[in-house]
């Protein structure tokens, strides 16, 4: 103990042995930092004297930021966005998806997603395609939504010619062999089983809310292949669909991190005058139906008590999603609706984070913070070319379903009320921040370019969108919310639905001034 005290005393007093050790190590052990006296009176905001002036990368005018679009003779659109870096993301986006399957078997788009990057006229197998991409450090992916199918490749920019030729072959020359179709049947069957067993009900509820909101039309058609159709879909069925929807005028070749002229040359070389595997390049019967919002309810009674077993099982919950029609992404009201959705925010009952995680959004402040028994309250906004849907998803114990639904209907009614200036500014800032942060990613820029050009033949740049967000006023949010509340609701319910209010009662609550459900009286419980 005495030895420890002696050492501490020497350190505090600056003993001789410390001084000698500093001298022994010499000047090389002593370093003077800029904050230690070398530049004592220069603030950090001013350049240091004697330091070379930095040279930053510059662009020659605003045109370097613009998305360039060229239309080929066959109607194919080629769009590119400049971006510094060694790698590029290139892909083909097509106006094709489950909304166009009204005259076909539901599930074709789901099958095509699984069959993507399989054998083609030039490549004997998927492995051969992957080996070709690996030479350029490339990866590939295919995703389908209700209205768009996207084939994408990220690879070294030097391999652009190879990438475009491969994409053209994958999209227009797939073999669709019996073996590949059979393997896809198994993959689809597995995905459907997984969808019904997974603890997270959000994908299934999203499917159900669309089915309720757009009964048997366009975006209300099944996005996932129904079980009864798995065995019915074959090469002939797929070709009949591809013949109508995989035509050049419905496609965009988009690229990020590539020279526009080089991309156009590759498109002319590999996508102009090509005879597809299904024969004719002319569409015969294209569905141009406009989405018809119907409203309604979709219910699925299910025992949720054993969804998540283990040492910390998720308690049995009932999940409700209530939605109202908003607007398409082509309308001016799309931006106010996006701000409203951000203002509602929400999430799970547990979230580690601060304001950036939406902890000051309405669904946190008014719902999750006040009602400890609610496990989730989240706002979603789905928007399409001709319609949109603003939804709130909530989860709670089956015994408190009625109270949960009333809390959600009250929040919908409050959307049409007074909008606080502080919460509006917070929502606008958060939306702008999220937009700009996402657009740091090359694949996200690619998807944004492709989707916008596919829908409007042009692209709004980020700074234009930020200006539109900044210009949203409280009266804009109140106006779009009030308009939305005049429509019929769409309801999706999953789990134990014993205490679920009737659709008529939910509709009545959303038509009232306070969002309360009509009182019900029971002689026996």
């Amino acid at each position: 103990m005495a030895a420890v005290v002696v050492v501490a005393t020497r350190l505090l007093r600056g003993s001789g042995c410390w001084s000698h050790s500093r001298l022994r190590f010499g000047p090389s052990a002593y370093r003077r930092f800029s904050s230690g006296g070398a530049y004592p009176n220069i603030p950090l905001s001013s350049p240091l004297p004697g330091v070379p002036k930095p040279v930053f990368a510059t662009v020659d005018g605003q045109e370097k930021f613009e998305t360039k679009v060229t239309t080929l003779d066959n109607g194919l659109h080629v769009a590119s966005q400049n971006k510094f870096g060694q790698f590029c993301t290139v892909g083909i986006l097509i106006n094709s998806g489950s909304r166009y399957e009204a005259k076909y078997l539901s599930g074709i788009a789901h099958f095509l997603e699984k069959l993507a990057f399989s054998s083609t006229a030039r490549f004997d197998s998927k492995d051969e395609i992957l080996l070709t991409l690996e030479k350029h450090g490339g990866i590939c992916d295919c995703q389908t939504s209700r209205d768009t199918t996207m084939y994408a490749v990220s690879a070294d920019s030097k391999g652009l010619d190879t990438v475009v030729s491969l994409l053209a072959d994958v999209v227009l020359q797939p073999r669709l062999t019996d073996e590949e179709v059979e393997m896809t049947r198994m993959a689809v069957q597995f995905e459907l089983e997984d969808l019904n067993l997974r603890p997270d009900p959000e994908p299934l509820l999203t499917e159900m809310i669309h089915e309720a909101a757009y009964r048997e039309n366009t975006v209300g058609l099944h996005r996932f292949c129904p079980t009864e159709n798995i065995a019915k879909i074959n090469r002939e069925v797929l070709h009949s669909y591809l013949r109508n929807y995989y035509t050049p005028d419905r496609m965009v070749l988009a690229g990020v991190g590539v020279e526009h002229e080089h991309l156009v040359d590759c498109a002319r070389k590999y996508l102009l005058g090509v005879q597809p595997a299904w024969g004719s390049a002319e569409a015969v019967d294209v569905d141009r139906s406009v989405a018809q919002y119907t409203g309604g309810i979709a219910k699925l009674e299910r025992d949720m008590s054993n969804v998540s077993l283990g040492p910390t099982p998720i308690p049995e919950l009932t999940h409700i999603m209530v939605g109202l029609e908003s607007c398409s992404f082509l309308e001016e009201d799309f931006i106010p609706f996006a701000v409203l959705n951000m203002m509602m925010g929400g999430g799970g009952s547990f979230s580690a984070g601060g304001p950036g995680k939406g902890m000051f959004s309405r669904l946190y402040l008014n719902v999750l913070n006040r009602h400890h028994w609610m496990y989730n309250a989240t706002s979603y906004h789905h928007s399409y070319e001709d319609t949109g849907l603003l939804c709130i998803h909530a989860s709670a114990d089956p015994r408190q379903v009625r109270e949960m639904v009333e809390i959600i209907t009250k929040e919908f009614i409050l959307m049409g009320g007074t909008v606080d200036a502080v919460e509006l500014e917070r929502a606008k800032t958060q939306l702008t921040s999220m937009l700009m942060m996402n657009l740091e990613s090359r694949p996200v820029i690619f998807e944004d370019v492709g989707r916008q050009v596919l829908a409007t033949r042009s692209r709004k740049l980020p700074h234009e969108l930020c200006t539109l967000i900044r210009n949203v006023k409280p009266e804009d949010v109140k106006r779009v919310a009030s308009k939305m509340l005049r429509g019929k609701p769409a309801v999706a319910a999953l789990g134990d639905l014993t205490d679920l209010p009737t659709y008529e009662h939910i509709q009545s609550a959303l038509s009232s001034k306070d969002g309360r459900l009509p009182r019900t009286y029971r002689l026996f419980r």
Side-chain angles (χ1 to χ4, degrees):
M1 183 66 184
V4 173
V5 172
V6 170
V7 172
T9 307
R10 285 179 178 177
L11 289 173
L12 289 170
R13 291 179 178 175
S15 64
C17 66
W18 173 254
S19 303
H20 290 316
S21 77
R22 188 171 65 182
L23 290 170
R24 186 168 63 249
F25 284 107
S28 59
Y30 179 71
R31 181 181 174 189
R32 298 186 69 181
F33 294 93
S34 60
S35 59
Y39 304 101
N41 300 318
I42 300 174
L44 294 175
S45 56
S46 301
L48 298 175
V51 177
K53 187 177 180 180
V55 179
F56 297 103
T58 58
V59 292
D60 303 325
Q62 187 63 34
E63 67 273 4
K64 290 287 183 181
F65 294 105
E66 292 177 0
T67 301
K68 296 180 179 178
V69 182
T70 301
T71 305
L72 303 187
D73 295 339
N74 61 354
L76 178 83
H77 299 280
V78 182
S80 73
Q81 179 72 42
N82 202 1
K83 185 174 173 65
F84 298 106
Q86 178 184 352
F87 284 82
C88 65
T89 300
V90 182
I92 295 176
L93 292 92
I94 309 165
N95 256 333
S96 161
S98 59
R99 71 169 293 164
Y100 300 107
E101 294 175 357
K103 299 177 182 178
Y104 298 87
L105 290 170
S106 284
I108 291 177
H110 192 185
F111 260 71
L112 290 172
E113 179 185 43
K114 302 301 175 194
L115 284 163
F117 295 98
S118 295
S119 65
T120 68
R122 279 178 51 221
F123 300 97
D124 291 332
S125 67
K126 188 167 192 170
D127 290 340
E128 198 173 324
I129 289 175
L130 296 178
L131 285 170
T132 303
L133 288 175
E134 278 182 14
K135 294 175 184 175
H136 302 282
I139 56 173
C140 60
D141 186 31
C142 177
Q143 295 178 9
T144 61
S145 62
R146 297 180 190 279
D147 56 356
T148 308
T149 300
M150 179 175 67
Y151 297 81
V153 171
S154 287
D156 193 303
S157 302
K158 295 175 183 176
L160 180 62
D161 196 275
T162 303
V163 167
V164 176
S165 69
L166 187 148
L167 281 167
D169 218 44
V170 165
V171 173
L172 297 175
Q173 304 287 338
R175 287 185 181 172
L176 305 178
T177 64
D178 292 341
E179 183 183 358
E180 288 170 346
V181 172
E182 188 56 41
M183 290 293 290
T184 301
R185 288 193 182 114
M186 294 169 63
V188 168
Q189 182 70 47
F190 174 80
E191 190 169 343
L192 293 177
E193 291 172 4
D194 178 65
L195 185 69
N196 288 316
L197 291 174
R198 65 170 61 183
D200 176 23
E202 196 269 327
L204 186 56
L205 276 172
T206 301
E207 181 82 357
M208 292 170 65
I209 197 76
H210 280 82
E211 181 188 332
Y214 305 93
R215 187 72 65 181
E216 298 179 357
N217 78 90
T218 58
V219 293
L221 300 175
H222 296 289
R223 192 171 85 80
F224 299 103
C225 181
T227 307
E228 62 271 16
N229 287 353
I230 292 176
K232 298 176 184 176
I233 295 177
N234 54 33
R235 190 168 184 265
E236 289 69 34
V237 172
L238 294 171
H239 272 188
S240 67
Y241 178 86
L242 292 167
R243 193 172 293 114
N244 285 317
Y245 293 100
Y246 275 43
T247 55
D249 58 303
R250 300 177 67 85
M251 296 182 184
V252 169
L253 174 66
V256 175
V258 297
E259 290 293 331
H260 184 72
E261 293 308 319
H262 190 187
L263 186 63
V264 171
D265 290 342
C266 291
R268 288 199 175 104
K269 186 176 177 181
Y270 299 111
L271 290 162
L272 195 61
V274 178
Q275 184 78 358
W278 44 90
S280 172
E282 295 292 326
V284 180
D285 187 15
V286 176
D287 183 3
R288 304 189 189 279
S289 303
V290 176
Q292 301 296 317
Y293 181 85
T294 60
I297 187 166
K299 298 190 289 186
L300 183 57
E301 287 265 6
R302 178 179 290 177
D303 180 12
M304 306 288 282
S305 59
N306 59 352
V307 166
S308 175
L309 304 175
T312 54
I314 297 174
E316 181 182 0
L317 299 174
T318 295
H319 304 274
I320 306 293
M321 193 177 274
V322 180
L324 290 165
E325 187 180 22
S326 57
C327 71
S328 85
F329 56 69
L330 299 176
E331 297 179 44
E332 290 183 0
D333 286 342
F334 172 68
I335 298 296
F337 268 116
V339 173
L340 173 61
N341 178 57
M342 191 60 67
M343 195 166 71
M344 297 307 296
S349 57
F350 173 79
S351 179
K357 293 292 290 292
M359 301 294 275
F360 288 90
S361 60
R362 283 192 181 184
L363 291 180
Y364 263 111
L365 295 175
N366 301 345
V367 178
L368 294 169
N369 287 1
R370 296 183 184 181
H371 307 285
H372 65 90
W373 45 268
M374 285 191 68
Y375 280 77
N376 180 59
T378 311
S379 177
Y380 297 96
H381 188 215
H382 306 279
S383 198
Y384 305 97
E385 196 172 353
D386 50 4
T387 187
L389 195 63
L390 185 74
C391 316
I392 294 179
H393 168 210
S395 307
D397 187 279
R399 292 166 294 184
Q400 292 172 302
V401 169
R402 182 179 176 83
E403 191 176 351
M404 172 176 67
V405 171
E406 186 169 85
I407 289 167
I408 297 308
T409 55
K410 285 180 179 178
E411 285 304 311
F412 268 109
I413 295 299
L414 289 172
M415 288 183 196
T418 305
V419 179
D420 181 67
V422 174
E423 70 170 345
L424 179 63
E425 284 304 312
R426 184 185 291 119
K428 286 158 64 175
T429 303
Q430 195 173 345
L431 181 60
T432 304
S433 171
M434 187 180 72
L435 172 71
M436 299 308 293
M437 186 170 62
N438 286 336
L439 288 175
E440 289 288 317
S441 167
R442 188 183 62 251
V444 174
I445 299 173
F446 156 76
E447 188 172 348
D448 182 52
V449 169
R451 285 182 179 275
Q452 285 202 50
V453 172
L454 194 63
T456 65
R457 306 298 181 238
S458 62
R459 181 188 180 221
K460 275 191 172 72
L461 296 177
H463 72 268
E464 296 177 74
L465 293 171
C466 290
T467 301
L468 292 171
I469 293 169
R470 281 196 301 271
N471 290 340
V472 173
K473 297 179 175 58
E475 50 268 27
D476 295 326
V477 175
K478 185 175 180 178
R479 174 177 53 78
V480 298
S482 300
K483 179 183 175 183
M484 177 181 69
L485 287 165
R486 290 197 288 269
K488 290 175 64 178
V491 181
L494 174 66
D496 181 353
L497 309 180
T498 307
D499 292 333
L500 178 70
T502 64
Y503 176 78
E504 289 73 24
H505 281 188
I506 297 173
Q507 187 175 3
S508 176
L510 289 169
S511 303
S512 66
K513 291 182 179 180
D514 56 5
R516 290 182 180 274
L517 291 165
R519 298 298 95 186
T520 57
Y521 301 96
R522 298 182 184 178
L523 292 175
F524 306 101
R525 286 192 64 85

